[in-house]
Every structure is written in C-alpha cells, then in structure tokens.
Amino acid sequence: VKFNNCAGNKGVRYETNSLDFKVRADGTVYAAHPVQLPSKQLVLMVTAWDPQTLSRWEAIVRFLVTEKSQHNGHKPKGRKSVPGELAQQQSDTLRPWRQHQSANGLRRQKRDWVIPPINVPENSRGPFPQQLVRIRSDKDKEIHIRYSITGVGADQPPMEVFSIDPVSGRMYVTRPMDREERASYHLRAHAVDMNGNKVENPIDLYIYVIDMNDNRPEFINQVYNGSVDEGSKPGTYVMTVTANDADDSTTANGMVRYRIVTQTPQSPSQNMFTINSETGDIVTVAAGLDREKVQQYVVIVQATDMEGNLNYGLSNTATAIITVTDVNDNPPEFTTSTYSGEVPENRVEVVVANLTVMDRDQPHSPNWNAIYRIISGDPSGHFTIRTDPVTNEGMVTVVKAVDYEMNRAFMLTVMVSNQAPLASGIQMSFQSTAGVTISVTDVNEAPYFPTNHKLIRLEEGVPTGTVLTTFSAVDPDRFMQQAVRYSKLSDPANWLNINATNGQITTAAVLDRESDYIKNNVYEATFLAADNGIPPASGTGTLQIYLIDINDNAPELLPKEAQICEKPNLNVINITAADADIDPNVGPFVFELPSVPSAVRKNWTITRLNGDYAQLSLRIMYLEAGVYDVPIIVTDSGNPPLYNTSVIKVKVCPCDENGDCTTIGAVAAAGLGTGAIIAILICIIILLTMVLLFVVWMKRREKERHTKQLLIDPEDDVRDNILKYDEEGGGEEDQDYDLSQLQQPETMDHVLNKTPGVRRVDERPIGAEPQYPIRPVIPHPGDIGDFINEGLRAADNDPTAPPYDSLLVFDYEGSGSTAGSVSSLNSSSSGDQDYDYLNDWGPRFKKLADMYGGGEED
C-alpha cells in the first residue's frame, strides 16, 4: 500500500485488523504465519497512524485468493491461542476463527463460526428473497440457537434489505441492489440461545455490491469553449473535456475513453484536431489554422465506457467550440500610394488629409489598430498623424502653424504599423508606406512690431512736440501690396502722438516722472498697426518710456505741526523733509531759519542730526504758551538745488515733571487765557444744572398725573372701556359739536330697512334700522340692562366685524326716554327727586344708586 501524509511519512506506523497479516514500513503487506483462507476474497483494514499528532488514516485492501493457496484441501481443525489482552482487542474483528490461550501455550482450536463470502451483484432480477449465505455456529449441535443480524440494511434505514432465517442462519437479500446508491453494507450477526442468552460474540459482516455497467458517461458540460492561435503548430494544446461515469472506476464499467466524432468545417483539413482518449485533452494535429478563413470550429466529442468498446460500452456526446484567435499576421497597407491636402497658413489643429488603410486582422484589436509616423518631409514638426479609433484612418493634423511666405508646400512620407508587433516570420509590406502632398494657401496676416515691447529713455520735462522715436510695424505679406497705418490704442495720460503713415512718436504734453501714470519710472502706451487687406488685419505694439528724473520738485518740511514745552529741556522737535524727486535730487537736506523776522532766530534754533533729519528747539529759557508759526528753509541736493520755505505750527505749552504737556496747558497753548477757561467751565456747570432741574420737574409732573383719581373707582367700574382725561374742559355750550345727530329725526323712512343689530363707526349705515317699541314713561328696571346685553350679543356675533376692536354706536333711544336732556342733571343735594328706583336696575347701576339714593344715611 502507498501512503503520504504530506510530511515525509516520518514516524508513521502501519497496522491491520488481523493478526495474520502485518505491514512493513515500506507499505508491503505480508502474512505473519502460514494461513489457510476459506474464501476466494479477503478484506483487510489497513491503518496508518502518526504517534506525534495521533492522526489516523484507514484503507480497505481486498485480496483475491488463488487456487494455489488451497492446495492442502482441508480446513484447519484448530487455531492458535494468543494472550488474553490480544483476544479482547480482536473480539469485534472480522475473523472466521478464534484463538484462545491455554496453560500449555498456543494451539489451534475448532472454529466457532463459519463465514461464507458475501458478494451481491447489483440489478439482480431475483426471484426475491434471494439466499446469499448461511451463518452457522459449531455449538448448534449442542443447543438450539437463534440467529439475527443488525446494521444498515437490516434494522436501520434502508430497512429490511437483508433478512436472516433465525433457525437455519440463512441470510437473504430482499430486493435488487444498486451499487451507485450504496456500494457496501456493514452488518453484525448475533447468535443467542432460546432464552436470549449470547452464545457467540457478534461478528462483523461486510457485504459488497458487485458493479454492473448500468450508467452512461456524463460530461460535466454539454458545451465546452476553447481557443487556439491561428498558425499554431501541430500538437498545440487547445482544451480538455471531462466525462464522469457513476460505475466502478476500478473496473471496465467505469473506465471512459474519448474520441472525436465530427469536425465542422472540414477546412483546410477534416482532421485538424485530435483528442487524448484517456485524459480528454484536445490538441491540434494539422497546420493551416487561419482566422481570416475559418474563425471557429465545432467538434463533437464522444465518451464511451468499457474502455471505449463501442460494442459493449455506453456512450455520450458533448460539443467543443474552438475559436481561432487572431495574431498579427497581416501588416496594414495603404489603399493608395499618394494623398493630398490643403491648409491655410497660421492655422493649427486643422485636419488636412485622411489616410485610409486596410488590415485583415481582427478589427479593434492591437493587431488591427494602426499607428502612423511621418518619416520625412517635416523637419520642423508642423504636422502629426492621429488615428481615428472607429475607422482606423490616419488624420494628418497641423500642430504648428505654417507660413506661406516660408513654405508653400510640403511633401511628406508616412508609414503605418500596428500596435502589436508582427508575428514571427511576417514582413512589412511595401504598401505600408505612402506620400502626402500638402499645399499652403496665403491669407492676410496682421502687421507686427519687430521690437515689442520697445523701450526708450529720456529726461522728464521735454517740451511738447519733441520727436521721441519711430515705432514702425512690418507686414509679413510680402507678396501683397498693402499699406500700414498707425493709431493710438492706449495712452493713459494723453502725452503722445503717432504719425499715421510712418509711426513717428512725438510728445503732446510735458512728461512728468512724478505723475500717477508712471510706474517704476516707466510710462507705457500701446499703438495699433492696421493694413488695408481683405479682410483688414491689425497688430499691436507697446512702447515703454523710461523717464530720467530732473530736479523739478522742491522739498517739503515734515511734520506740519508739533508741540514743545515752554521751558527748554530734553523735549525737542525732530524734523525732516520729503521730496518727490529721486536720488541724487533729494537729500541730504539743509535746514535753516530765515533772518526775517528776527524773532524766529531769537526764539528758535535748529540742530543738524544727519543728511535727512534735524532738531528744532527753543533758544531762550522761557516762551509763553501759545501756537507759533515757525518758518524753516529746506534745500535739497539737486543740480541746481531747489529750496522751499515751509511753516511748522508749534504749540508751546506748560509741561509736567515728565516733560508732557498738561491738559490746561494744552488748552492755553490753543490761544485761550485763564479767564476764558474759567468762563467756559462756569457755563458748563450752569448748563448741567438746568438739565438736572428739568429732569426732576418732568419726573414730578409724571407722578402727579398718576396720582389723580377718577370719579368712579376702577375696581367698581363695569364699563367695557374707560377713558381718562387730565382736564374736564368747558360745558356743552363751549364745544362746537354737531348735536343734531343725537336728536330724534322727524321721519324714520330712511332707517326702516336696516338689519337688526348695532352700527359701527367703521361702516356706513345702508338701510333703515328697526324701531324699538316705545318705552313707558316709567321705565322697567331691567329695560336698559337688556338693551345693552342685546347690543353686545349682536356685536359679538356679527360676521362682518373687522378683526380689530372698534367703537360701537348704539341705536337712538327714541322719544319715550324718561331721562330727558342730560343738561337737566345737577349736583345739588337739596333736590326732591327720588332716585331709589336705581336700586332695581341691577348690579351695574349699584354705584350710581349709592351716590344719589344714600345721601341721608351718609
């Protein structure tokens, strides 16, 4: 036996389930002693185990016994005896005899069981039950024994495949067997007496189903796809097809062989491929594969068992589709030997010609995609050839502008190739090279300034009309008779003029270097040159004028204002100057005091610090506080030098011990005396006092307004709205009111159609209002309360009411009112009118009743 544990089989040990056979370290199985085998087949279980990892592997070994092994012609009458522990270890092994140990050593004894071979052919036709073997114990002559079997196929699913006669020990199979469903069965046979006591130890029975050729080979796939390069040599591997047979692969029933039945198309040969009969590998057998002629082959493959015997074996077929893949065995070729095109000058990214090629290889593959190269005729690189990815055409494109005046035509030589290199042995075709003629057409080109930007240098301040330079342009169209005219395009300060015919530049104003139009001493202007071609063309040029500085600006004194203490100390004024010119027309500066008026040099002095700075300080010991205008003459270092008399305002003020001006001193220095300062302070105090008194008066007046009480206490007021007035004013005769609205109209016709309810001031009455019944002379106590409640209810339920609060105007009371005129009321307490009926009007009039009806009690 052969075994490999993938680790070199180091330390692996072998053993069998029989003491009669052993296994050497090299896997050789041998008999440990002379053994007589009763059957024609012996089954052993060989185990390989690793002592380190405790892993175990098992395999079944079958031995076919030849006639030579049974030359003795008799069965052994006894058996060897072994030690007790070995007998116990082998109690459940498949042995047709047993060995026991006696005091006299090992000896052969009579067998307890006779185990016949158990082989069952599948698909048997019966009749069933069909006897297989008979199991017998040598103790059945002494006592009555009952036999039984257990295991899969007996008392375990599938149930009752095998049965046994409990008396005779004959074992039967009850139905046809299928080896592909189950190839073997493991049963255990039992022997007991009539009381159920075990007579013999159970023995293992192995039943093997003998295979029959009842299954066809089945291909894994019905269609196989493979490929092979065109031009492949004979013997090139293409693909592998595989078929499986469910029958026993160790017998001819499961041994499959392959063959090719048909090939379509049969070009260039009917046998372009062959197949390995055992492995199913398909290889080429003939040369001549050409994708351009045949792109695909369809091959029918047949698989047959019984080692390919077509008379006895079963067969099945599958389809193998072999695609011939493309190789670059066809170079691209131009469809014509010459091409032509035309391009205007000064144009780029223009396609001037399309080059067409033919390639018989597979389209849109590296073997078909074309690459174009210009091999001569374009040394300056004006053109390139790009490939159209759809048509594979070459597009000759201008990438660098061409000039008609330099080259009127180009003669290009181009070559085409593929992305993929040509296959071995394939040469380039002479038709892979072609010529391209490109003509250049003349167009009107714009004039250009040869020196752009042009820089000139001159001093500032040159007079108007000075000729600066001639800024002329060149027309590149040498073969066209055209005139060029000039004009200004940009002149920010309007300082320049240009001659329209010859481009002469003159000044139109004085050029000033200190102007805001100057950047870094340079003035820049742009001019336009245009020809009279069709259509006209124009070009621009920039003129830069570098202005050299002259001493045309006098220096200015800085700062313009300063302050100093009235007594000399370390407090001095640092002065300097600013000059719009540049070196050498600026510093060092000279600072000096003028001789007139004489008080300047008497009170002040200047001390020079360096070329740009000096110090102004008091010459005398004390100078009255105030503001003084001190003139100072500042002279620069130009040639000739310029000077300027500048005035600095100096505030002289009293200072504290630190040399800083005090607040009063600063005010005094502004020109105000002590009396004026005191007057200003007093005015400020009076103004603040007046403001404070006004605020106190306003607070008191507001407090008095809130402390006034109404005639009716707010807690007892039952009205919806309370209007509070500060002054009552005069009587009714003093008010200019229209009292006609409160009178009863003579006729009621214009209000008869008004809908019941109330009238608001935000809408105009549009109909006659209904007349209320005439009230009796003596009013009913609840009459007024009901009227007010009805009015409130009508106002609350009015759908036309606005979403904001509004004043409600109640209807006329009519001529039946007992109140009479309001002016008839007086505040005298001596009247004899009885107001007790106010107590019957309800809680709303309780306060009024208390005021008029309870005078005597009070």
Side-chain angles (χ1 to χ4, degrees), residues 53 85 119 171 208 226 236 257 279 281 284 291 331 340 409 637-638 648 650 658 661 676 697 731 852:
T53 63
E85 60 274 10
N119 291 315
M171 191 170 70
Y208 299 99
T236 303
R257 299 293 182 266
T279 62
D281 295 339
T284 60
R291 190 203 65 86
S340 62
S637 299
I648 179 173
V650 180
N658 296 324
C661 283
W697 178 77
Y852 287 91

Side-chain angles (χ1 to χ4, degrees), residues 74-127:
H74 65 276
K75 299 179 182 180
K77 295 291 183 71
R79 61 184 181 184
K80 287 185 177 182
S81 60
V82 296
E85 60 274 10
L86 293 179
Q88 182 179 0
Q89 178 182 357
Q90 298 297 328
S91 61
D92 58 350
T93 59
L94 180 59
R95 297 186 61 232
W97 55 82
R98 295 180 178 177
Q99 296 178 352
H100 298 277
Q101 184 178 11
S102 62
N104 297 328
L106 296 175
R107 63 183 181 87
R108 186 174 297 273
Q109 293 184 350
K110 185 178 180 180
R111 292 177 299 170
D112 293 334
W113 291 80
V114 177
I115 307 302
I118 307 175
N119 291 315
V120 182
E122 66 173 336
N123 302 325
S124 174
R125 297 184 179 180

Side-chain angles (χ1 to χ4, degrees), residues 14-148:
Y14 301 95
E15 61 183 20
T16 67
N17 61 348
S18 174
L19 295 177
D20 296 331
F21 296 93
K22 295 183 179 180
V23 184
R24 295 190 179 96
D26 60 354
T28 302
V29 181
Y30 65 96
H33 50 80
V35 177
Q36 185 176 12
L37 303 178
S39 61
K40 295 183 178 181
Q41 180 172 298
L42 175 64
V43 179
L44 292 179
M45 179 71 72
V46 179
T47 303
W49 65 285
D50 190 342
Q52 296 180 354
T53 63
L54 301 180
S55 300
R56 301 178 68 88
W57 299 268
E58 295 180 349
I60 296 177
V61 181
R62 300 180 186 177
F63 293 98
L64 296 179
V65 182
T66 61
E67 294 297 334
K68 185 183 297 183
S69 63
Q70 298 179 359
H71 64 279
N72 293 335
H74 65 276
K75 299 179 182 180
K77 295 291 183 71
R79 61 184 181 184
K80 287 185 177 182
S81 60
V82 296
E85 60 274 10
L86 293 179
Q88 182 179 0
Q89 178 182 357
Q90 298 297 328
S91 61
D92 58 350
T93 59
L94 180 59
R95 297 186 61 232
W97 55 82
R98 295 180 178 177
Q99 296 178 352
H100 298 277
Q101 184 178 11
S102 62
N104 297 328
L106 296 175
R107 63 183 181 87
R108 186 174 297 273
Q109 293 184 350
K110 185 178 180 180
R111 292 177 299 170
D112 293 334
W113 291 80
V114 177
I115 307 302
I118 307 175
N119 291 315
V120 182
E122 66 173 336
N123 302 325
S124 174
R125 297 184 179 180
F128 296 100
Q130 182 179 7
Q131 180 177 341
L132 298 179
V133 295
R134 180 183 179 186
I135 299 175
R136 181 176 60 83
S137 173
D138 54 0
K139 295 181 180 180
D140 59 355
K141 297 179 180 180
E142 301 173 359
I143 58 176
H144 294 285
I145 297 178
R146 293 292 181 265
Y147 302 95
S148 63

Side-chain angles (χ1 to χ4, degrees), residues 289-453:
L289 290 174
D290 190 351
R291 190 203 65 86
E292 288 71 37
K293 295 180 179 179
V294 179
Q295 298 183 2
Q296 192 177 82
Y297 290 90
V298 178
V299 177
I300 304 301
V301 180
Q302 184 183 59
T304 307
D305 57 15
M306 297 300 292
E307 297 183 289
N309 191 322
L310 298 178
N311 295 326
Y312 304 103
L314 302 177
S315 301
N316 213 336
T317 60
T319 302
I321 299 177
I322 302 174
T323 301
V324 181
T325 56
D326 183 48
V327 297
N328 195 12
D329 57 348
N330 294 283
E333 299 177 349
F334 286 103
T335 57
T336 182
S337 59
T338 58
Y339 298 87
S340 62
E342 186 178 82
V343 58
E345 64 174 335
N346 301 324
R347 296 282 300 277
V348 293
E349 297 300 326
V350 177
V351 178
V352 298
N354 287 336
L355 313 181
T356 56
V357 296
M358 180 184 64
D359 195 323
R360 292 186 297 274
D361 290 322
Q362 185 175 357
H364 305 289
S365 67
N367 301 328
W368 179 81
N369 295 335
I371 298 177
Y372 300 87
R373 292 187 297 114
I374 300 175
I375 57 178
S376 66
D378 185 23
S380 300
H382 292 283
F383 304 95
T384 187
I385 304 178
R386 298 166 180 166
T387 304
D388 189 318
V390 178
T391 62
N392 212 28
E393 294 181 355
M395 299 178 293
V396 182
T397 307
V398 182
V399 294
K400 183 180 179 181
V402 296
D403 189 356
Y404 175 82
E405 286 71 27
M406 299 294 295
N407 294 290
R408 299 189 182 184
F410 292 87
M411 300 294 296
L412 307 180
T413 302
V414 298
M415 186 176 67
V416 63
S417 59
N418 293 125
Q419 286 183 351
L422 291 174
S424 178
I426 305 300
Q427 301 295 328
M428 290 291 295
S429 171
F430 70 93
Q431 295 181 354
S432 298
T433 304
V436 182
T437 302
I438 300 175
S439 301
V440 182
T441 59
D442 191 16
V443 297
N444 185 25
E445 299 177 79
Y448 67 93
F449 292 88
T451 54
N452 194 16
H453 302 24

Side-chain angles (χ1 to χ4, degrees), residues 693-709 724 726:
L693 292 175
F694 179 76
V695 171
V696 172
W697 178 77
M698 289 297 294
K699 291 288 186 179
R700 183 173 181 179
R701 186 170 180 271
E702 184 70 20
K703 183 176 181 181
E704 291 176 354
R705 179 184 302 175
H706 285 289
T707 55
K708 290 184 178 181
Q709 298 295 327
K724 179 179 179 182
D726 291 332

